[in-house]
Amino acid sequence: MTGREEPQVPFWPVMTAIFFGSFLAILGISTINVALPVLMNDFHTDLATVQWTLTGFMLATGIIAPVTGYLGDRFSTKYLYVGALIGFTLMSALCAAAWNIQSLIVFRVLQGFFSGMVMPASMTIIYQVIPKSRQAFALSMWSLATMMAPAFGPTLAGWLIQTFNWEWLFLMNIPFGIAAIAVSMKLVPYYKISSNKTFDAVGFLTVVVCSTSLLVAFSEAHAWGWSSWKIVSLLAVGLISLIVFIRRELTVPQPPLNLRVFLYGKYTYSLVLAVIITISLYSGTYLTPVFLQNIQHASALDTGLILLPASLAMAIFMPITGKLYSRVGPVWLIAAGVLLMGIGTLAMGHLSVDTPHLYIVLWMMVRNIGISLSTMPATNAGMQVIPRELTGHASSVNNWIRQGFGSFSIGIFTSAAVRQSGRSHHGAREERGGRNGQGAAAGGGVHLQCERCLSCGHDHRPDRPSAGLNASRAAGREEGADAACPRFAKSIVHAPFLYKR
């Protein structure tokens, strides 16, 4: 199949191949969230380091996403898709064999490169192979795959961690990967829409520098501070590189990422909505498991079970949205979805140490139903106005920007958590000191209101000393606590990030 021929392919075989690959790629993100505290303990490291198993993965997806349109045009989207699945499966095996946190981060970054090719390639196949009349439903099924992974991923991850160990989070990807590769090779048709293109090395270099600088800045801003020279420098380099990249892409005849897709107004508006939805999705996906395990002390399996109903609700409503799209159109679905997202997010903003798990289940379901109602309509409304030969570039832009803002949202919300934990810690110290008649400077009760430290995994409350902590810490003296956790005195994400009495 070449040129502008109308695609004539079987719907369900192609969608089966897309479903397998998309499920696999998202499964690599959803399972690692539950494992962050476990990895901290196993590798004897802190949250800032372990976080790179997630942010490094997202950084890699953000770097590779802009050039997947070019790679699909150059080698065929089918071969790009299959190659990405092979690489993802191989990196899953290497992640399971990681011998320290540094090797795990390296393999996760490489895994992220391949995952970053899977999602835009699978979306491109939908808009280049599936007939236009069935693209809305096809996208809802594609979205269903991306929602089923977070629906079952955390629960499955919790069970695997408690029953076996964290390595099985990656080993379980291997059979899924082999199945996805086999199905894709057999069922996805080979086709090329564009002729061979020359590689723009300057454009590729500028987009890599831009993506790396901005994503690292977003990921480390909570630790280094938004006003630190490192973050300011990275933001400056990233923005300058972005300007150079945009100017370059608009002048060369065969850009690796065709930014002229922004000339289609409906596509641009839909992308803005996709960014809003992405920020909401990532904030809940990243922060909620950490809150449940490190603040409320829920087990990995319990955390997965708590998150399961919300993810299932999102997966159930996704195909329903696909059916409703042709009847009511995108506007009403998007409006209803954004409204539910706002209500659910506002309710989740009032979490505390004593918040019942049922409260979290209920409002996470409301948020996720809103996400399912708005995700597909927003994306499809924009993609359907793009000419078929540009859909690969439009998919790359969509995934690139969403990944960038996903990292940005994690940086923003983690920074907010740090600031809130600092205020909570100091407020608890003053209150304890006042009750003991010792004043705010007293050290005896400084840690009484603190929960497990997200930096080291220890419980810093004097009445719950962690194994290996000395007796002076248990008695409440600051020097003991600081010896156990050097970052504790710096208020690095250690108290409940929304503390209430």
Side-chain angles (χ1 to χ4, degrees):
M1 180 169 34
T2 60
R4 299 174 179 266
E5 297 175 15
E6 182 67 23
Q8 299 292 332
V9 296
F11 177 82
W12 285 110
V14 173
M15 287 309 304
T16 301
I18 291 174
F19 188 93
F20 268 104
S22 302
F23 180 86
L24 178 67
I26 299 300
L27 194 67
I29 301 174
S30 62
T31 54
I32 199 68
N33 292 321
V34 177
L36 292 181
V38 177
L39 294 174
M40 287 164 56
N41 290 331
D42 268 23
F43 289 116
H44 306 291
T45 187
D46 56 23
L47 179 65
T49 302
V50 172
Q51 180 189 340
W52 274 94
T53 60
L54 175 62
T55 54
F57 184 97
M58 295 175 62
L59 174 66
T61 61
I63 291 174
I64 198 65
V67 296
T68 54
Y70 164 80
L71 295 174
D73 290 344
R74 180 70 176 82
F75 301 106
S76 161
T77 305
K78 172 179 178 171
Y79 289 159
L80 173 66
Y81 184 58
V82 173
L85 290 175
I86 293 173
F88 185 93
T89 305
L90 177 61
M91 288 304 111
S92 295
L94 292 177
C95 284
W99 51 91
N100 56 30
I101 190 61
Q102 289 77 20
S103 62
L104 178 61
I105 291 173
V106 169
F107 294 142
R108 279 286 290 175
V109 169
L110 294 175
Q111 189 183 45
F113 278 115
F114 293 109
S115 178
M117 294 185 238
V118 169
M119 298 309 294
S122 58
M123 181 186 288
T124 300
I125 291 172
I126 289 176
Y127 287 99
Q128 291 183 348
V129 172
I130 301 298
K132 200 176 188 70
S133 60
R134 307 196 71 180
Q135 286 175 359
F137 182 71
L139 188 64
S140 70
M141 297 304 296
W142 175 83
S143 301
L144 175 61
T146 66
M147 301 309 167
M148 281 188 65
F152 296 104
T155 305
L156 181 58
W159 179 77
L160 288 172
I161 290 171
Q162 286 198 289
T163 307
F164 303 102
N165 49 48
W166 61 264
E167 287 89 347
W168 280 90
L169 300 181
F170 301 104
L171 292 175
M172 73 173 180
N173 290 340
I174 297 176
F176 283 110
I178 294 174
I181 293 166
V183 172
S184 300
M185 283 294 296
K186 182 175 179 61
L187 300 181
V188 175
Y190 172 82
Y191 68 95
K192 289 184 70 174
I193 292 180
S194 303
S195 58
N196 292 342
K197 293 185 175 182
T198 57
F199 181 70
D200 180 18
V202 175
F204 177 73
L205 179 62
T206 55
V207 76
V208 168
V209 172
C210 167
S211 299
T212 304
S213 301
L214 292 179
L215 292 175
V216 170
F218 296 155
S219 300
E220 294 299 316
H222 71 280
W224 298 342
W226 286 96
S227 58
S228 66
W229 69 268
K230 292 180 182 179
I231 297 299
V232 172
S233 300
L234 285 170
L235 291 175
V237 171
L239 291 175
I240 292 173
S241 301
L242 179 61
I243 293 172
V244 173
F245 171 70
I246 293 174
R247 183 169 183 176
R248 173 80 180 179
E249 298 309 280
L250 294 177
T251 55
V252 296
Q254 295 181 333
L257 184 64
N258 196 330
L259 299 180
R260 292 178 178 84
V261 294
F262 284 108
L263 295 176
Y264 299 88
K266 187 177 288 188
Y267 172 81
T268 303
Y269 297 145
S270 72
L271 195 53
V272 173
L273 284 172
V275 166
I276 296 173
I277 296 168
T278 298
I279 291 175
S280 177
L281 179 62
Y282 275 118
S283 63
T285 301
Y286 173 72
L287 290 177
T288 306
V290 174
F291 171 81
L292 287 169
Q293 292 187 68
N294 287 72
I295 303 305
Q296 294 198 332
H297 301 173
S299 67
L301 179 58
D302 288 341
T303 298
L305 291 174
I306 292 168
L307 298 177
L308 179 60
S311 297
L312 284 175
M314 186 160 52
I316 291 171
F317 271 82
M318 195 59 66
I320 294 175
T321 303
K323 292 293 185 180
L324 291 175
Y325 185 90
S326 58
R327 299 181 182 181
V328 301
V331 175
W332 287 107
L333 291 172
I334 293 171
V338 171
L339 178 62
L340 290 177
M341 285 168 49
I343 295 172
T345 302
L346 182 63
M348 290 293 289
H350 293 83
L351 295 182
S352 70
V353 179
D354 301 319
T355 298
H357 290 165
L358 183 60
Y359 179 95
I360 298 174
V361 170
L362 173 63
W363 290 111
M364 282 292 289
M365 287 181 66
V366 172
R367 288 180 74 256
N368 286 7
I369 291 173
I371 291 171
S372 64
L373 288 175
S374 54
T375 300
M376 186 281 289
T379 302
N380 190 66
M383 288 293 297
Q384 283 199 325
V385 303
I386 301 295
R388 184 164 171 257
E389 63 272 15
L390 292 179
T391 50
H393 294 271
S395 298
S396 296
V397 170
N398 183 290
N399 285 270
W400 179 43
I401 292 179
R402 287 171 59 188
Q403 289 294 341
F405 276 94
S407 294
F408 175 71
S409 66
I410 288 179
I412 288 291
F413 288 115
T414 305
S415 298
V418 171
R419 289 195 300 270
Q420 181 63 40
S421 68
R423 288 196 295 268
S424 300
H425 170 60
H426 292 302
R429 176 176 180 173
E430 292 177 4
E431 181 178 344
R432 177 64 184 177
R435 288 201 304 266
N436 289 346
Q438 298 171 342
V446 67
H447 299 313
L448 276 183
Q449 302 298 334
C450 297
E451 293 289 337
R452 280 175 63 191
C453 178
L454 300 196
S455 298
C456 68
H458 290 130
D459 191 334
H460 289 287
R461 289 175 290 183
D463 58 334
R464 299 188 188 183
S466 300
L469 302 189
N470 56 40
S472 64
R473 209 296 319 267
R477 292 201 294 269
E478 284 191 61
E479 61 269 24
D482 292 343
C485 178
R487 302 186 68 180
F488 185 72
K490 300 178 182 179
S491 296
I492 304 295
V493 198
H494 62 277
F497 53 85
L498 284 173
Y499 173 82
K500 293 181 181 179
R501 287 199 57 77

